[in-house]
Amino acid sequence: MLPIEKKLLGLVVIMVLIFLYLYQSPTLMTIEAIYSAERYLQNPPKELSKSIPYLDLKEVPEENVSAVLNQKSGFWNQLTNRMVWEVTIKYSGIQPTVVIDANTGKYIDIYGP
């Protein structure tokens, strides 16, 4: 093999390994997603802070909490198998849904209150 062919082969192998790592990156467990959602509801963004009452997860019955793992939208996200947690908590007459990145745990959106 010529030196350029070896470099290209090495580059392709490295790219495949990086893609496989991105495709199978670890996701948050359900309980971690629920606690993250509680934290985001206790400290909501400024535009939602007046519409969301304080949440204490100890007061919410288990049947009022649901967490669903969904595919993130977009071509690249589907190609790399990126997921989001959608955690819905029913309390105080409202039902907000917190959307969290399943790989990093970062806040994406709150809707429904």
Side-chain angles (χ1 to χ4, degrees):
M1 270 189 167
L2 297 172
I4 276 207
E5 291 172 343
K6 287 183 181 180
K7 289 178 183 178
L8 286 176
L9 181 63
L11 182 63
V12 168
V13 168
I14 289 172
M15 289 174 56
V16 166
L17 291 175
I18 289 172
F19 177 78
L20 289 174
Y21 174 76
L22 288 174
Y23 191 80
Q24 295 189 10
S25 60
T27 60
L28 293 174
M29 294 188 325
T30 307
I31 194 70
E32 293 172 325
I34 292 170
Y35 283 125
S36 292
E38 177 190 24
R39 188 174 63 243
Y40 292 128
L41 287 174
Q42 289 175 343
N43 301 309
K46 290 179 184 177
E47 63 270 6
L48 296 175
S49 62
K50 293 180 181 175
S51 65
I52 299 177
Y54 180 77
L55 168 66
D56 184 11
L57 205 53
K58 295 173 188 159
E59 298 174 2
V60 178
E62 214 174 288
E63 58 271 2
N64 288 357
V65 178
S66 67
V68 178
L69 188 61
N70 289 325
Q71 181 76 45
K72 224 176 187 182
S73 62
F75 175 74
W76 179 252
N77 291 324
Q78 290 178 355
L79 184 66
T80 57
N81 197 33
R82 291 302 203 201
M83 307 295 272
V84 292
W85 278 108
E86 293 187 9
V87 180
T88 303
I89 302 175
K90 299 176 192 172
Y91 71 101
S92 301
I94 63 171
Q95 186 174 329
T97 299
V98 181
V99 182
I100 302 167
D101 186 287
N103 301 96
T104 62
K106 290 184 180 178
Y107 166 82
I108 295 175
D109 193 15
I110 295 178
Y111 61 89

